């Protein structure tokens, strides 16, 4: 894994040109949302939360329906340390904090705010039912439904359910968070994503499940029938999926070996297959024989992006109104820039951390630790051992570091001949050699 640093510039999103240089300099995290990418939320270095933009459907959370080009503070969220945020096209916004609390506001015609009513949410309100005892680490929104993933791998869903996207087994709307079980019962979910009216989940053994609307094959099940409960994507049997991403009606999946799969709607070439035919089952997408480390899609756009191990960023699908049917190599340093410059609307596909990022911080820390453990369960290899060791050191995952170190020492000759070993930072290499020699690795 190459260790590259990049500076992400929020100025690439047109809406941020409204802010002064001082306001821009204060931003630590940000998200641009809305049907025309004209609403934004940002968090400052001292954890104050501000919103600005056109107040479509009262979605700024300021308590009134006024638009504002001057940032307004959301007092209810200041100091809360927001860790994950998602938005639906209703629009509504759902976020979670580092303490695992969930807040929501905005359009609520289908109970997508999870408070048991259908009343508009004009300010952020904590989602309490069934979630108070859970530490939520990730949230995801479809157009009018919402999901929350807890630290212990339980998944909750609520809101609009006309196609089964809440996974309850019926098509009745779900007014409060409900645990998604059925096939997920007893499984630990490690990643979630929503299309407009569909839902996807990855569990810790690398299996993928989908439910909800499937008219374009976006669930990857080989047919186009809707699913009212989670259904396993059987075609991915034998590969271990680490990350899942959903566009408006298509899905991308990334394996632990850096392979990319895509399925679903393909009107704009968003699958990257070289044509515009929908795919009902996963198809592998070639990326110049390079290992992919991150995939990006957003349920309000038909654009796809991926970043490879060497730091190259590709984009395809609907790019500024054009249909790009093969992955196209860009000059960008991160997938976020693809959405700033080419997605319609120019939204963000995730809550963006502003400032210096390395390759590994594109995943939130808890998730990376969980995913590393889940790679190892599937079998550490000579090829990936040193990359895993390096990730474990960076993330202070001591058990994992010890596990990887022992593996490297036991397979020393093979490991020292891998590319990953020679690409490693000097200090880490020296530390490894010193520690290995103390264990007697170099005795004749």
């Amino acid at each position: 894994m190459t260790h590259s640093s990049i500076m992400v510039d929020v100025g690439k999103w047109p809406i941020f040109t409204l802010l002064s240089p001082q306001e821009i300099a204060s931003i630590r995290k940000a998200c641009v949302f809305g049907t025309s990418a004209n609403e934004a939320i940002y968090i400052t270095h001292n954890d104050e939360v501000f919103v600005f933009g056109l107040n479509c459907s009262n979605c700024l959370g300021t308590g009134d329906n006024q638009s504002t080009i001057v940032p307004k503070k959301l007092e209810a969220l200041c100091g809360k340390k927001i860790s994950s945020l998602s938005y639906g096209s209703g629009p509504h916004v759902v976020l979670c904090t580092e303490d695992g609390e969930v807040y929501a506001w905005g359009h609520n015609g289908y109970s997508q705010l999870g408070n048991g009513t259908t009343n508009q949410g004009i300010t952020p309100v904590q989602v309490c039912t069934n979630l108070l005892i859970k530490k939520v680490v990730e949230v995801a929104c479809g157009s009018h439904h919402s999901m929350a993933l807890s630290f212990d791998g339980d998944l909750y869903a609520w809101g609009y359910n006309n196609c089964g996207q809440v996974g309850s087994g019926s098509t009745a709307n779900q007014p409060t968070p409900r645990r998604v079980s059925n096939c997920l019962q007893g499984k630990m979910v490690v990643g979630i994503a929503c299309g407009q009216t569909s839902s996807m989940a990855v569990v810790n053994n690398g299996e993928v499940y989908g439910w909800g609307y499937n008219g374009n094959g976006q669930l990857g099940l080989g047919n186009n029938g809707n699913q009212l409960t989670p259904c396993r994507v059987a075609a991915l049997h034998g590969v271990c999926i680490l990350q899942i991403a959903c566009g408006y009606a298509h899905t991308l999946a990334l394996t632990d070996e850096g392979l990319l799969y895509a399925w679903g709607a393909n009107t704009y070439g968003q699958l990257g297959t070289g044509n515009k035919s929908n795919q009902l089952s996963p198809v592998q997408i070639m990326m110049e024989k390079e290992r992919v480390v991150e995939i990006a899609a957003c349920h309000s756009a038909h654009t796809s992006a991926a970043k490879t191990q060497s730091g190259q960023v590709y984009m395809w699908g609907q790019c500024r109104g054009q249909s790009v049917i093969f992955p196209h190599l860009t000059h960008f340093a991160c997938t976020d820039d693809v959405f700033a410059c080419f997605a319609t609307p120019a939204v963000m596909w995730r809550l963006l951390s502003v400032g210096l990022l390395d390759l590994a911080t594109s995943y939130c820390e808890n998730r990376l630790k969980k995913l590393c453990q889940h790679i190892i369960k599937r079998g550490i290899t000579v090829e990936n051992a040193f990359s895993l060791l390096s990730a474990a050191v960076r993330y202070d995952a001591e058990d994992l570091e010890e596990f990887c170190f022992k593996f490297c020492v036991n397979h020393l000759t093979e490991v020292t001949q891998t590319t990953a070993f020679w690409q490693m930072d000097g200090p880490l290499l020296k530390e490894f050699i010193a520690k290995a020699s103390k264990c007697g690795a170099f005795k004749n």
Side-chain angles (χ1 to χ4, degrees):
M1 190 179 279
T2 53
H3 187 83
S4 58
S5 290
I6 52 175
M7 183 66 82
V8 178
D9 172 20
V10 290
K12 286 184 175 153
W13 279 267
I15 189 168
F16 279 101
T17 55
L18 291 170
L19 301 192
S20 70
Q22 291 80 3
E23 285 165 333
I24 295 276
S26 74
I27 297 174
R28 186 168 63 87
K29 290 182 177 179
C31 193
V32 176
F33 57 96
T35 44
S36 305
N38 48 20
E39 290 143 283
I41 183 168
Y42 68 89
I43 301 139
T44 66
H45 291 286
N46 56 1
D47 273 313
E48 291 186 318
V49 180
F50 291 90
V51 288
F52 65 101
L54 289 179
N55 202 1
C56 308
S57 308
N58 298 348
C59 207
L60 289 181
T62 52
D64 57 42
N65 58 5
Q66 302 299 305
S67 297
T68 174
I69 58 172
V70 178
K72 281 190 179 177
K73 195 186 286 190
L74 292 187
E75 296 285 359
L77 296 176
C78 289
K80 290 285 184 186
K81 297 192 188 312
I82 295 167
S83 57
S84 172
L85 180 145
S86 187
Y87 54 87
S89 57
H92 74 292
V93 178
V94 179
L95 59 81
C96 69
T97 68
E98 285 180 12
D99 291 336
E101 296 173 344
V102 177
Y103 291 82
W105 69 92
H107 188 269
N108 194 32
Y110 304 97
S111 301
Q112 57 264 51
L113 302 186
N115 58 18
T117 76
T118 51
N119 304 333
Q120 181 86 28
I122 57 172
T123 56
V125 173
Q126 189 175 353
V127 184
C128 296
T129 311
N130 296 337
L131 293 183
L132 278 183
I133 53 164
K134 289 288 175 182
K135 181 178 181 179
V136 171
V137 292
E138 191 180 354
V139 291
C141 294
S143 60
H144 300 88
H145 76 290
S146 312
M147 298 205 297
L149 173 61
S150 75
F151 182 75
D152 52 6
D154 288 343
L155 177 56
Y156 291 80
W158 61 96
Y160 199 29
N161 194 34
N162 63 328
C163 306
Q165 57 266 49
V166 166
S168 59
S170 79
T171 53
N173 295 343
Q174 179 59 38
T176 54
R178 175 191 177 280
R179 171 108 187 267
V180 182
S181 52
N182 304 88
C183 290
L184 293 179
Q185 190 70 42
K187 293 184 183 287
M188 181 179 180
V189 177
V190 293
I192 56 174
C194 293
Q196 282 290 96
T197 43
S198 60
S199 306
M200 303 293 300
V202 185
V203 299
N204 67 341
N205 64 359
E207 293 173 352
V208 176
Y209 291 80
W211 59 100
Y213 184 68
N214 194 32
N216 302 286
Q218 54 262 66
L219 303 185
L221 304 175
N223 59 50
N224 52 16
N226 296 351
Q227 295 292 328
L228 305 186
T229 57
C231 192
R232 185 177 169 199
V233 181
L236 291 173
H237 178 72
V239 297
C240 175
I241 300 300
L242 290 190
Q243 191 200 343
I244 198 102
C246 291
Y248 186 92
H250 78 288
T251 309
L252 305 176
L254 176 63
T255 77
D256 61 343
E257 294 180 323
L259 303 177
L260 172 64
Y261 289 87
W263 60 92
N266 200 24
T267 319
Y268 301 94
Q270 60 263 49
L271 301 185
T273 53
N275 59 44
K276 293 184 179 180
S277 305
N278 290 1
Q279 294 289 340
L280 304 183
S281 292
V283 177
Q284 192 182 331
I285 308 303
M286 300 312 290
M287 207 70 66
E288 305 282 335
K289 295 185 179 168
E290 272 215 84
R291 189 186 174 106
V292 176
V293 294
E294 180 181 87
I295 52 174
C298 170
H299 69 258
S300 57
H302 307 281
T303 311
S304 305
K307 185 170 185 172
T308 65
Q309 190 167 19
S310 64
Q312 292 186 313
V313 173
Y314 290 81
M315 69 179 188
W316 61 100
Q318 189 182 32
C319 298
R320 280 206 186 151
Q322 300 294 311
S323 293
V324 178
I325 60 175
F326 281 111
H328 172 77
L329 179 60
T330 70
H331 60 273
F332 297 132
C334 59
T335 54
D336 304 285
D337 288 351
V338 169
F339 286 82
C341 302
F342 284 92
T344 309
V347 289
M348 289 186 182
W349 71 272
R350 58 177 166 187
L351 179 64
L352 186 62
S353 293
V354 178
L356 287 174
L357 289 177
D358 72 21
L359 217 48
T361 51
S362 26
Y363 312 102
C364 75
E365 193 169 327
N366 284 338
R367 193 171 176 206
L368 185 71
K369 284 183 177 172
K370 270 195 286 187
L371 292 177
C372 281
Q373 288 157 9
H374 125 58
I375 295 169
I376 288 162
K377 282 180 188 168
R378 298 277 302 192
I380 189 170
T381 67
V382 166
E383 286 297 326
N384 69 17
F386 221 80
S387 297
L388 286 172
L389 175 63
S390 138
V393 170
R394 265 209 305 277
Y395 281 86
D396 299 322
E398 290 170 14
D399 295 351
L400 181 51
E401 185 184 337
E402 195 54 34
F403 183 98
C404 296
F405 174 78
K406 283 178 181 163
F407 182 94
C408 289
V409 169
N410 291 339
H411 301 83
L412 197 58
T413 307
E414 296 99 317
V415 167
T416 54
Q417 288 168 8
T418 62
T419 316
F421 184 84
W422 293 108
Q423 283 180 343
M424 227 21 82
D425 293 347
L428 183 63
L429 213 49
K430 283 180 184 168
E431 196 181 327
F432 173 77
I433 291 166
K435 193 174 169 187
S437 68
K438 280 182 190 161
C439 297
F442 302 117
K443 283 181 181 160
N444 291 331

